[in-house]
Amino acid sequence: MKDLKFEQKSSLSRLEAADQLSALAEALRHGGNAELQLGPGTLSLRVPDELRTEIEVEVGDGQIELEIELKWPTPQTGAASPRTASDEE
C-alpha cells in the first residue's frame, strides 16, 4: 500500500511543459526542497543528493510516450536500526 499518491493529467503547451521541467530541474540542482506548482496547489518534496532514475520511451498506437521517473527512499524518522548478532557480542 502506498503512503501517498498524487497524479495529475493535463494538456499543456510545449512552453508550459518546458517551464514545469525547468522548475523541477532548478529544484534538483539546488537540492533540499523541491516545490512544484501543480494546478491550484503546490507540492513540496524533500529531495536527497542521490536518486535513482529511469527513462522509458514507448512508440505505438499513433503516439509517443516519454516517462522520466525519479526515485529515492523516504526518510527513516525515529526508526530503530536493526540489530545484528555481532551487535550483541
Side-chain angles (χ1 to χ4, degrees):
M1 182 169 113
K2 303 241 186 239
D3 292 334
L4 171 70
K5 182 175 180 177
F6 174 85
E7 186 172 311
Q8 179 184 31
K9 295 181 181 184
S10 61
S11 294
L12 302 173
S13 70
R14 189 176 65 231
L15 182 57
E16 289 168 328
D19 287 344
Q20 278 192 351
L21 290 172
S22 292
L24 177 58
E26 278 301 304
L28 291 172
R29 183 171 286 110
H30 295 293
N33 288 330
E35 291 196 359
L36 306 171
Q37 293 299 123
L38 298 172
T42 301
L43 177 64
S44 182
L45 298 170
R46 177 106 179 118
V47 182
D49 290 336
E50 296 287 325
L51 14 120
R52 294 184 312 263
T53 64
E54 181 179 327
I55 297 176
E56 183 179 325
V57 177
E58 294 180 23
V59 180
D61 297 327
Q63 64 181 9
I64 298 173
E65 181 177 331
L66 169 65
E67 291 184 25
I68 301 171
E69 191 170 288
L70 306 174
K71 292 183 182 181
W72 60 90
T74 56
Q76 300 293 323
T77 57
S81 61
R83 294 179 58 93
T84 63
S86 62
D87 289 340
E88 296 174 5
E89 294 176 6

